[in-house]
Amino acid sequence: MRLSLHVWRQPSATALGMFVRYDATDVSPDMSFLEMLDVLNDRLAAKGDTPIAFDHDCREGICGSCGFMINGVAHGPSRGTATCQLHMRLFEDGDELWVEPWRSRAFPVIRDLVVDRSAFDRIVAAGGYISVATGGAPDANTIPVARDRSEQSMDAAACIGCGACVAACPNGSASLFTAAKVSHLGLLPQGQPERRRRVLGMVAQMDLELFGGCSLFGECQAACPKEISIDTIARMHRDFLAASARA
Ligand code: SF4
Ligand code: FES
């Protein structure tokens, strides 16, 4: 396969960026999108050009490091799939692809396709943990948890923190990410002592980071590689209102 790539190149956070066109030749349909970029980067490096910077780590859809827009779609055209798991067989020979970083005021570009997602870390630091003593695994196993609650909690815990929900949202909202973190702890018995403080702290931090508000477009759940449901946002709003009323 041969593809035309228009890749966002931006040398630093403060420099101006622009799309640069590259021909990706000899692309195997079995390559992942990131492997295709690796091959292109080898070619650029061999010519003395600066390789395209992009984030990645596990390359198996579990760490949340990777992610950029492909033809305007966060993580590209395959639903429920992180960029690292996207295969070139999804594209046609001769396709023209526009590759650019997440666009959000709260995720400034560091270089090329790499953005600063530390705002997510600060939201988690504002309450996305359990600090009370919960004992070891045997203690946890002695606490009964209703089947539906444990399923809902595990579904929310699947969030990998990639940021696609923010990039896809017309408001640049981090509600799906924050709601997933609030839900996965708030649904379990071990998460109850800090439940009110958690939701108030995390929502306040989300607002401080200048993410937009949620107006239920639903683009976030469509872009999410873990298919986190916007039901989690409704749950976070309910928790937030209940916690505010008691504050
Ligand atoms: S909710 Fe989905 S899209 Fe948003 S950060 Fe988590 S895994 Fe990524
Ligand atoms: S590199 Fe880890 S999720 Fe894509």
Side-chain angles (χ1 to χ4, degrees):
M1 296 167 71
R2 185 185 185 96
L3 299 158
S4 270
L5 300 179
H6 302 267
V7 182
W8 185 259
R9 301 300 312 261
Q10 184 173 336
S12 71
T14 48
L16 286 178
M18 62 188 286
F19 282 105
V20 177
R21 185 180 177 284
Y22 299 99
D23 280 323
T25 52
D26 294 328
V27 176
S28 158
D30 297 326
M31 281 177 175
S32 72
F33 204 95
L34 299 190
E35 285 167 344
M36 183 272 295
L37 288 182
D38 288 339
V39 172
L40 175 59
N41 273 346
D42 284 347
R43 230 180 64 211
L44 293 178
K47 283 197 304 180
D49 291 344
T50 310
I52 299 159
F54 59 91
D55 251 337
H56 61 100
D57 190 4
C58 70
R59 296 199 177 205
E60 51 187 69
I62 53 172
C63 75
S65 300
C66 68
F68 38 76
M69 308 298 280
I70 302 170
N71 286 353
V73 181
H75 285 304
S78 183
R79 208 167 171 128
T81 306
T83 305
C84 59
Q85 295 188 295
L86 207 59
H87 283 88
M88 298 315 296
R89 66 181 81 96
L90 285 164
F91 301 94
E92 302 285 335
D93 186 32
D95 269 358
E96 196 161 5
L97 304 179
W98 296 78
V99 182
E100 56 186 314
W102 293 160
R103 298 288 185 198
S104 166
R105 184 171 48 170
F107 287 165
V109 172
I110 295 174
R111 184 185 185 96
D112 297 340
L113 305 176
V114 180
V115 298
D116 178 357
R117 285 171 290 180
S118 56
F120 271 9
D121 298 335
R122 292 188 288 274
I123 292 174
V124 170
Y129 50 81
I130 290 175
S131 55
V132 294
T134 56
D139 305 291
N141 289 337
T142 61
I143 302 172
V145 183
R147 174 70 188 262
D148 60 334
R149 285 182 84 79
S150 81
E151 292 286 338
Q152 287 168 358
S153 172
M154 290 304 108
D155 285 350
C159 167
I160 54 175
C162 62
C165 45
V166 174
C169 176
N171 302 332
S173 173
S175 289
L176 194 66
F177 165 79
T178 309
K181 302 301 173 200
V182 164
S183 283
H184 108 249
L185 300 173
L187 283 162
L188 295 176
Q190 293 87 342
Q192 297 314 306
E194 293 163 298
R195 185 169 168 181
R196 281 170 48 205
R197 198 182 342 149
R198 176 181 308 114
V199 69
L200 293 175
M202 292 180 80
V203 169
Q205 190 63 36
M206 180 175 75
D207 291 343
L208 273 178
E209 299 290 348
L210 303 180
F211 289 105
C214 172
S215 45
L216 291 177
F217 273 94
E219 295 291 336
C220 53
Q221 79 175 3
C224 176
K226 298 299 163 186
E227 302 188 300
I228 308 280
S229 163
I230 54 172
D231 290 353
T232 54
I233 298 178
R235 188 179 300 115
M236 175 176 76
H237 287 166
R238 279 198 301 274
D239 266 20
F240 182 81
L241 288 174
S244 304
R246 295 175 62 192

